[in-house]
Amino acid sequence: MLHTPTNSRVLSRELLDVLIRAGLIAVLASFCFRIFAPFLNLMVWAIILAITLYPLQVRLRGPLGGKDGLIATLIILVAFTVILVPTYLLGVAVAASIERAMEVFKSGSFQIPPPAESVAAWPLVGQRVYDFWAQASTDLTGLLQKFAPQLKELGLALLSAVTGLSAGLLVFFLALIVAGILMAHGDKGYHSTVQIASRISGPDNGRQIADLCTATIRAVAQGVVGIAFIQMLLIGVAFVVMGIPAAGLLALAVLLIGIMQLPATLITIPVIVFVIVTKGVSTATIIFSVYVFVAGLADNVLKPLLLGRGVAVPMPVVLIGALGGMVTGGVIGLFIGPVMLAVGYQLFWRWVKDQPQAERVQQRTPS
C-alpha cells in the first residue's frame, strides 16, 4: 500500500496531536504531584492506619447500628487516648528526671562509686573500663570537660531527635483524623481501589491485587505492634523485678520505640549502665544485663515469625520488603516495601504461569 502525501500529512498531524496531548497530560500530572507532595506522607500514613483499623469498624457495625461515621469517630478517639496518655506520662517523667538530675549535679552531691577490682580483669576492655570508671568516680568534672565536644554533639543530636519525634507525632495524629474520614467511607474506598487496580493490571487481577495490598499492610502493622508489645512485656518484667525507678514508664517507652521501629537498645543499654553503676557487678546484675540486652534484640527473631502471616506470598518476600523498605524509606517504607514486593512477586508468577496452551503441552512432553 502506497502512502500518498495526503496520508502522510494526516499521520503527521495525528502524531503531533498525540504528542501535544501527552505533553499536556505530563505537565498536568507534574503540577498535581507538586501540589500534593507536601501531604504525601500524611496521606500514606492515613491510608495505612485506615486499612489497619478498618476490621475493627466492621466488627462494631452490628452493636452500633451500622453508623460508620460514629464508629470511625469512636475508634479514632480511643486511639488518641491510647497514644496520648502514655506519651504524656513518659514526657512528664523524662522532664522530671532531667530536672532532678540537673539539681543533683549542681548541688555537687552526685558521686559515682569506684569500680570493683574485678572490672579490670574483664577480657579485652577491662582495664580501659576500669580506668575510665575510676576517673569518673574521682574527677567527674575533669572527665566531662575532656569529652565536652562529644557531649555537645550528642546533646544536639538528642535535641534534633526530640524535635523530629514531636513533628512525627503531629503528623501521626493528623493522619489518624484523616484515617477516620477514610474509614467512614470504607466501602466506597475499597471499590475505588479495585477499579484503579483493575484499570492498571486488568479486570482479572484488580481485586486480587487490592486484597493482597490490604492483607500485606495489615500483616505488617499487626506484626510491628505485636513485636513491640512482646518486647515491652519481656523488658518490663525485668525492670520491675530489678526495681528500676519508673519501670512502667520505661516499658511504655520500649513499646513506643518499637512501634516507631527504633531499636529497644536505646532504652535497655542506659538502664544496664545505670544498674551496674548503682548496684555494682554481681551475679544478679550480670544476669539482668544479659537478659535485658537479649530481650532488646528479640525483634530480630520475632519479625520472621510474625510478619507476613495471612498474606498469600511467602514470608521471606514480606520480610525482605519490610527490611529493605525501612532502610530506603524509613518507617513508611516498612509498609510500602512489602506491598510493592508482594505485588511484584504475584504479577511475576502470574506472568510465568500464563503461557499458551501449546507451549505448556510442549514443556510437559519429554524429549
Side-chain angles (χ1 to χ4, degrees):
M1 181 177 179
L2 297 176
H3 292 282
T4 63
T6 304
N7 290 336
S8 299
R9 268 192 236 104
V10 171
L11 290 175
S12 300
R13 188 176 301 167
E14 290 179 353
L15 179 60
L16 181 61
D17 290 342
V18 170
L19 292 176
I20 291 175
R21 290 172 184 172
L24 291 175
I25 292 174
V27 171
L28 177 62
S30 176
F31 272 106
C32 290
F33 179 78
R34 291 178 60 184
I35 294 171
F36 185 72
F39 306 97
L40 184 59
N41 286 346
L42 174 66
M43 291 305 300
V44 171
W45 270 119
I47 292 172
I48 291 171
L49 291 171
I51 292 174
T52 304
L53 297 174
Y54 191 69
L56 180 60
Q57 171 145 344
V58 174
R59 292 183 182 181
L60 294 176
R61 277 178 178 170
L64 296 179
K67 299 178 180 179
D68 286 334
L70 176 61
I71 297 171
T73 303
L74 291 176
I75 292 175
I76 298 306
L77 289 176
V78 172
F80 265 107
T81 305
V82 170
I83 297 173
L84 272 177
V85 172
T87 304
Y88 173 77
L89 294 176
L90 181 63
V92 171
V94 170
S97 299
I98 294 175
E99 184 178 357
R100 190 161 50 248
M102 293 296 294
E103 291 177 355
V104 172
F105 186 77
K106 290 179 179 179
S107 65
S109 60
F110 178 75
Q111 292 183 348
I112 297 177
E117 296 294 334
S118 59
V119 175
W122 291 359
L124 300 178
V125 296
Q127 189 60 44
R128 293 182 180 179
V129 173
Y130 180 84
D131 295 339
F132 183 83
W133 193 341
Q135 184 179 358
S137 63
T138 56
D139 186 18
L140 181 59
T141 303
L143 186 64
L144 292 177
Q145 291 177 351
K146 180 180 178 181
F147 291 97
Q150 291 84 350
L151 293 175
K152 182 179 179 180
E153 293 180 1
L154 179 61
L156 293 175
L158 290 175
L159 181 61
S160 176
V162 171
T163 304
L165 179 60
S166 301
L169 284 175
L170 178 60
V171 172
F172 187 80
F173 290 142
L174 292 175
L176 266 178
I177 297 174
V178 178
I181 298 173
L182 295 177
M183 286 192 298
H185 304 278
D187 292 337
K188 295 180 181 178
Y190 175 75
H191 292 310
S192 299
T193 303
V194 171
Q195 288 179 340
I196 295 172
S198 299
R199 188 71 178 88
I200 295 174
S201 61
D204 296 334
N205 301 326
R207 186 173 295 275
Q208 293 183 1
I209 290 178
D211 292 340
L212 176 63
C213 294
T214 301
T216 305
I217 290 175
R218 286 175 184 165
V220 173
Q222 292 169 3
V224 168
V225 176
I227 291 169
F229 185 75
I230 292 173
Q231 273 194 305
M232 180 193 71
L233 292 179
L234 293 175
I235 297 173
V237 169
F239 286 176
V240 172
V241 171
M242 185 56 67
I244 304 297
L249 292 177
L250 289 174
L252 287 176
V254 171
L255 176 64
L256 295 175
I257 283 178
I259 293 174
M260 291 184 292
Q261 289 303 290
L262 297 175
T265 49
L266 293 174
I267 301 294
T268 58
I269 290 180
V271 171
I272 291 172
V273 173
F274 171 80
V275 169
I276 292 177
V277 169
T278 56
K279 299 187 178 183
V281 179
S282 63
T283 303
T285 55
I286 291 176
I287 293 175
F288 169 81
S289 301
V290 172
Y291 171 79
V292 169
F293 184 76
V294 172
L297 301 176
D299 58 330
N300 298 312
V301 178
L302 295 174
K303 280 179 181 177
L305 298 177
L306 295 181
L307 287 180
R309 296 181 61 183
V311 182
V313 296
M315 181 274 298
V317 174
V318 179
L319 180 61
I320 292 173
L323 297 178
M326 185 173 64
V327 171
T328 57
V331 180
I332 291 182
L334 179 71
F335 296 91
I336 298 177
V339 169
M340 300 299 292
L341 206 59
V343 172
Y345 177 87
Q346 286 279 52
L347 292 178
F348 172 75
W349 280 107
R350 188 178 294 274
W351 172 77
V352 169
K353 296 176 181 179
D354 187 16
Q355 302 182 39
Q357 190 67 25
E359 293 184 9
R360 294 181 184 175
V361 174
Q362 191 174 18
Q363 290 176 358
R364 294 175 185 174
T365 303
S367 56

